């Protein structure tokens, strides 16, 4: 009361006053005191008291809630911003880093449109209107945003209406899509390189399941076999190999799945659409799913018809030379100069011995 008396130096004064109730609880009152001491017939002070305890408790609870919100959001690794009347009112550390700001003063108070690329303005205005009118969280939206240095990046954002500092606001969570975009681009480029290698390889390439069903083949396989991929995809590989090669392939599959170590290269025989048998050098490798389970095999097949023809000619030539050497009346022999092993003798030696 002494404070109140001291303040009554003017006509009207205001102050806050704490009053203890009969039950011992304290209440806060906003007092408006009007000095009527000099007014004839009144000679007193008119007090207008308003209980503001609940209001102050509400404001205190709001401050504590906002402090908890800040503590929680400040540590969130996802960029989060709050904007009021389309101006930034809050940005966590992750958001400052995302936009290239060194401190909050470079972002807070600035219009949100400074970080939104013009290409995305229309869709953002529509989304803001939706959030304000419907009062619910909006679904994820992909936008083009702008950093402080002018560089642009793709982002995924989600917004929701909230109250911040006692006024309507919108909270937005941002996810930078750059890493995912780069990864997706790398995957697409890798797949494109694989397709180019697969399609343009000189050798025949085919993919077949563990059960033997053909699932893909390249142009080289079409040229070698005389079948189109549309005719063969979905068929068992037995349709294009000899029975002996089919038995070899099935045995290799069983052994590989059992964990046996197998040579990756072996010889096989393919059967063209016209029935011609083509000798090939085959190389296979497993294809695994995300769990490491073998689901398919990729086979690369090289036509070795010419190589076989040359080998046959060499064998025939060698046989012819040996026949000639066996008919001469002299002893002929071949010795390895390094190991001194006898590599060949003609029949004349045996007639002498």
């Amino acid at each position: 009361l002494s404070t109140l008396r001291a303040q009554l130096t003017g006509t009207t004064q205001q102050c806050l006053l704490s009053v203890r109730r009969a039950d011992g609880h304290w209440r806060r009152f906003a007092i408006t005191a009007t000095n009527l001491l000099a007014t004839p017939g009144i000679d007193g002070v008119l007090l207008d008291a308003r209980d503001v305890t609940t209001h102050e408790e509400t404001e205190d609870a709001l401050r504590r809630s906002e402090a908890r919100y800040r503590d929680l959001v400040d540590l969130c690794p996802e960029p989060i911003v709050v904007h009021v009347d389309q101006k930034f009112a809050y940005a966590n550390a992750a958001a400052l880093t995302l936009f290239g700001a060194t401190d909050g003063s470079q972002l807070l108070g600035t219009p949100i449109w400074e970080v939104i690329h013009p290409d995305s303005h229309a869709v953002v205005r529509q989304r803001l209107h939706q959030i304000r009118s419907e009062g619910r969280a909006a679904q994820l939206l992909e936008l083009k945003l702008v950093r402080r240095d002018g560089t642009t990046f793709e982002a995924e954002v989600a917004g929701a209406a909230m109250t911040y500092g006692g006024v309507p606001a919108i909270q937005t969570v941002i996810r930078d899509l750059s890493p995912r975009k780069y990864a997706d681009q790398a995957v697409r480029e890798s797949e494109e390189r694989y397709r180019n290698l697969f399609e343009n390889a000189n050798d025949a390439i085919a993919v077949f399941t563990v059960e033997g069903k053909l699932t893909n083949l390249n142009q080289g396989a079409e040229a070698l076999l005389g079948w189109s991929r549309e005719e063969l995809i979905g068929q068992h590989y037995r349709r294009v190999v000899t029975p002996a090669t089919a038995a070899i392939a099935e045995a290799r599959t069983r052994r590989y799945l059992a964990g046996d170590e197998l040579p990756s290269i072996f010889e096989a025989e393919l059967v063209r659409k016209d029935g011609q048998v083509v000798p090939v050098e085959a190389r296979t490798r497993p294809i695994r799913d995300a769990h490491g389970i073998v689901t398919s095999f990729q086979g690369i097949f090289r036509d070795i018809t010419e190589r076989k023809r040359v080998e046959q000619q060499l064998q025939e030539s060698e046989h012819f030379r040996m026949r000639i050497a066996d008919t001469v009346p002299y002893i002929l022999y071949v010795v390895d100069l390094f190991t001194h092993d006898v590599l060949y003798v003609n029949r004349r030696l045996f007639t002498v011995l």
Side-chain angles (χ1 to χ4, degrees), residues 60-123:
D60 184 59
L62 179 61
R63 285 192 293 270
R64 291 197 302 270
S65 175
E66 290 183 351
R68 289 194 297 270
Y69 171 82
R70 284 181 176 272
D71 290 341
L72 176 64
V73 176
D74 279 345
L75 298 176
C76 181
E78 294 285 357
I80 298 176
V81 297
V82 176
H83 50 92
V84 177
D85 295 331
Q86 300 179 16
K87 291 184 178 181
F88 288 111
Y90 169 79
N92 69 351
L96 296 178
T97 301
L98 178 65
F99 289 111
T102 56
D103 57 68
S105 63
Q106 296 177 333
L107 195 62
L108 302 184
T110 62
I112 62 174
W113 306 108
E114 292 186 4
V115 301
I116 301 175
H117 192 276
D119 292 350
S120 298
H121 280 190
V123 67

Side-chain angles (χ1 to χ4, degrees), residues 216-271:
N216 199 7
L217 31 119
N218 70 343
Q219 296 176 359
E222 291 180 306
L224 179 62
L225 295 171
W227 299 86
S228 69
R229 71 186 68 192
E230 289 77 18
E231 291 175 305
L232 290 180
I233 288 178
Q235 300 292 320
H236 198 280
Y237 61 65
R238 291 195 198 95
R239 186 172 184 180
V240 293
V241 301
T242 62
T245 295
I248 292 172
E250 290 166 3
R252 285 176 59 88
T253 298
R254 287 193 300 270
R255 291 182 59 191
Y256 189 89
L257 295 179
D260 292 350
E261 291 290 336
L262 299 174
S264 61
I265 301 176
F266 61 100
E267 290 191 5
E269 292 180 325
L270 303 183
V271 181

Side-chain angles (χ1 to χ4, degrees), residues 179-204:
R180 193 177 79 186
K181 293 285 186 180
Y182 293 147
D184 291 345
Q185 179 65 23
V187 170
R188 286 193 296 271
E189 291 175 356
S190 176
E191 291 176 346
E192 182 63 24
R193 287 194 298 270
Y194 172 79
R195 280 194 295 270
N196 288 335
L197 290 172
F198 182 85
E199 286 298 334
N200 299 319
N202 293 325
D203 295 329

Side-chain angles (χ1 to χ4, degrees), residues 52-335:
V52 295
T53 305
T54 302
H55 177 71
E56 288 191 345
E57 290 175 347
T58 301
E59 287 186 340
D60 184 59
L62 179 61
R63 285 192 293 270
R64 291 197 302 270
S65 175
E66 290 183 351
R68 289 194 297 270
Y69 171 82
R70 284 181 176 272
D71 290 341
L72 176 64
V73 176
D74 279 345
L75 298 176
C76 181
E78 294 285 357
I80 298 176
V81 297
V82 176
H83 50 92
V84 177
D85 295 331
Q86 300 179 16
K87 291 184 178 181
F88 288 111
Y90 169 79
N92 69 351
L96 296 178
T97 301
L98 178 65
F99 289 111
T102 56
D103 57 68
S105 63
Q106 296 177 333
L107 195 62
L108 302 184
T110 62
I112 62 174
W113 306 108
E114 292 186 4
V115 301
I116 301 175
H117 192 276
D119 292 350
S120 298
H121 280 190
V123 67
V124 171
R125 292 185 190 280
Q126 180 182 5
R127 185 57 58 89
L128 291 177
H129 175 73
Q130 176 187 343
I131 294 174
R132 287 193 298 265
S133 60
E134 299 180 7
R136 62 180 177 85
Q139 295 178 349
L140 291 174
L141 178 70
E142 286 195 16
L143 300 176
K144 184 184 291 186
L145 301 180
V146 184
R147 296 186 178 89
R148 284 179 51 80
D149 62 5
T151 59
T152 62
F153 64 98
E154 301 289 330
E156 192 176 61
V157 302
M162 66 174 299
T163 299
Y164 186 82
V167 296
I170 294 177
Q171 173 185 273
T172 303
V173 180
I174 308 169
R175 177 171 296 170
D176 185 2
L177 295 180
S178 301
R180 193 177 79 186
K181 293 285 186 180
Y182 293 147
D184 291 345
Q185 179 65 23
V187 170
R188 286 193 296 271
E189 291 175 356
S190 176
E191 291 176 346
E192 182 63 24
R193 287 194 298 270
Y194 172 79
R195 280 194 295 270
N196 288 335
L197 290 172
F198 182 85
E199 286 298 334
N200 299 319
N202 293 325
D203 295 329
I205 303 177
V207 180
F208 51 93
T209 65
V210 172
E211 295 76 23
K213 182 182 295 185
L214 291 164
T215 58
N216 199 7
L217 31 119
N218 70 343
Q219 296 176 359
E222 291 180 306
L224 179 62
L225 295 171
W227 299 86
S228 69
R229 71 186 68 192
E230 289 77 18
E231 291 175 305
L232 290 180
I233 288 178
Q235 300 292 320
H236 198 280
Y237 61 65
R238 291 195 198 95
R239 186 172 184 180
V240 293
V241 301
T242 62
T245 295
I248 292 172
E250 290 166 3
R252 285 176 59 88
T253 298
R254 287 193 300 270
R255 291 182 59 191
Y256 189 89
L257 295 179
D260 292 350
E261 291 290 336
L262 299 174
S264 61
I265 301 176
F266 61 100
E267 290 191 5
E269 292 180 325
L270 303 183
V271 181
R272 289 176 47 84
K273 187 176 184 178
D274 60 9
Q276 178 185 349
V277 175
V278 181
V280 295
E281 180 183 80
R283 182 192 303 266
T284 59
R285 70 172 186 88
I287 299 176
R288 303 176 185 272
D289 63 14
H291 304 289
I293 299 174
V294 177
T295 58
S296 303
F297 290 93
Q298 181 188 74
I300 302 176
F301 307 93
R302 176 167 296 177
D303 186 352
I304 57 174
T305 301
E306 181 63 19
R307 190 176 81 186
K308 288 290 187 181
R309 185 186 66 79
V310 172
E311 289 176 352
Q312 180 64 29
Q313 287 180 343
L314 288 175
Q315 290 176 357
E316 292 176 354
S317 176
E318 182 68 17
H319 181 66
F320 178 72
R321 287 195 299 270
M322 291 176 63
R323 288 175 57 190
I324 293 177
D326 285 340
T327 60
V328 297
Y330 312 107
I331 297 173
L332 299 177
Y333 62 94
V334 179
V335 177

